[in-house]
Amino acid sequence: QKEVEQNSGPLSVPEGAIASLNCTYSDRGSQSFFWYRQYSGKSPELIMSIYSNGDKEDGRFTAQLNKASQYVSLLIRDSQPSDSATYLCAGGGHGSGNTGKLIFGQGTTLQVKP
Amino acid sequence: NAGVTQTPKFRILKIGQSMTLQCAQDMNHNYMYWYRQDPGMGLKLIYYSVGAGITDKGEVPNGYNVSRSTTEDFPLRLELAAPSQTSVYFCASSPDTDTQYFGPGTRLTVL
């Protein structure tokens, strides 16, 4: 069974620190990976996507993918209290024939303390 | 654009009742998805659609049915509600199989 695993946390970091969120996946056929942010009682919102090995940066966010180790991570630099949320990692297909189906992890709750 | 809309926001059902969760999007997206999220858990895919008239099962389809007669609408039908279907249901749409845009969710309780 295809699985995406995350530590549920909570992960607590002080304001201004780097938050590191991690995710592993079991399906070696997964080709696309996504990080969604979900505030309490709200719907998920896409913040990062990554398809190739290495790093991808967008503002304070950096996604890292290592397909050999089946490992995805999200770094949040200069963490702010407004970053406090649950972060969901998801894996899916890519390219021709892809239907966009995603397998989600259970999410990691991040708490940024002022 | 209203984006993805879902109705109702909240619903309480009795065991054995049926209901339809409504989902609509005004972005002309071909891809649409239904997920359920149990407390403290991630999202599980129930059904998905790649276009009007085309639907398929996801990870947890038992107890649910869908239809997609138009690009805009993707209703989810619950037949014979059971307590195990107590959850938050999210509908999402996507233009390209990458970015999924989620609706606000429907919180369903089955007693």
Side-chain angles (χ1 to χ4, degrees):
Chain A
Q1 186 171 350
K2 300 176 184 178
E3 290 183 336
V4 174
E5 298 284 344
Q6 296 180 256
N7 186 325
S8 59
L11 172 67
S12 183
V13 300
E15 184 175 355
I18 296 175
S20 178
L21 305 161
N22 305 312
C23 165
T24 59
Y25 61 95
S26 63
D27 180 16
R28 284 195 173 273
S30 295
Q31 299 178 57
S32 57
F33 301 89
F34 305 90
W35 285 98
Y36 282 82
R37 178 177 62 200
Q38 186 176 27
Y39 292 113
S40 181
K42 301 296 185 182
S43 55
E45 174 191 17
L46 180 68
I47 54 171
M48 289 290 287
S49 58
I50 187 165
Y51 308 97
S52 305
N53 278 329
D55 296 358
K56 179 182 177 183
E57 187 174 318
D58 184 0
R60 296 187 295 114
F61 299 98
T62 298
Q64 300 174 316
L65 174 59
N66 183 326
K67 290 186 178 180
S69 300
Q70 296 177 248
Y71 181 89
V72 191
S73 65
L74 179 70
L75 301 178
I76 306 175
R77 288 181 298 281
D78 187 24
S79 295
Q80 300 298 308
S82 58
D83 294 325
S84 297
T86 296
Y87 290 80
L88 300 166
C89 174
H94 196 54
S96 176
N98 180 28
T99 59
K101 291 195 300 181
L102 296 177
I103 303 293
F104 280 85
Q106 68 268 42
T108 298
T109 298
L110 173 66
Q111 296 173 347
V112 180
K113 297 191 174 179
Chain B
N1 286 352
V4 180
T5 58
Q6 292 183 240
T7 57
K9 287 188 170 58
F10 304 92
R11 184 70 185 267
I12 298 175
L13 280 182
K14 293 183 179 178
I15 294 172
Q17 287 185 321
S18 300
M19 76 165 294
T20 299
L21 281 66
Q22 300 292 345
C23 174
Q25 52 94 5
D26 61 359
M27 297 174 282
N28 201 33
H29 290 170
N30 283 326
Y31 301 90
M32 295 188 75
Y33 310 87
W34 272 107
Y35 295 92
R36 60 176 287 173
Q37 185 175 36
D38 298 331
M41 301 298 288
L43 300 162
K44 297 289 187 186
L45 182 65
I46 306 171
Y47 271 94
Y48 68 99
S49 170
V50 301
I54 307 170
T55 63
D56 204 350
K57 296 177 181 178
E59 297 175 83
V60 290
N62 291 345
Y64 307 94
N65 268 304
V66 294
S67 60
R68 183 104 181 265
S69 56
T70 67
T71 299
E72 294 76 20
D73 299 299
F74 190 38
L76 177 72
R77 179 79 177 164
L78 278 73
E79 303 283 0
L80 299 175
S84 60
Q85 292 178 305
T86 293
S87 191
V88 180
Y89 291 83
F90 289 104
C91 177
S93 72
S94 176
D96 56 12
T97 74
D98 287 340
T99 305
Q100 294 191 15
Y101 299 88
F102 285 81
T106 293
R107 188 174 296 273
L108 175 68
T109 302
V110 182
L111 300 174

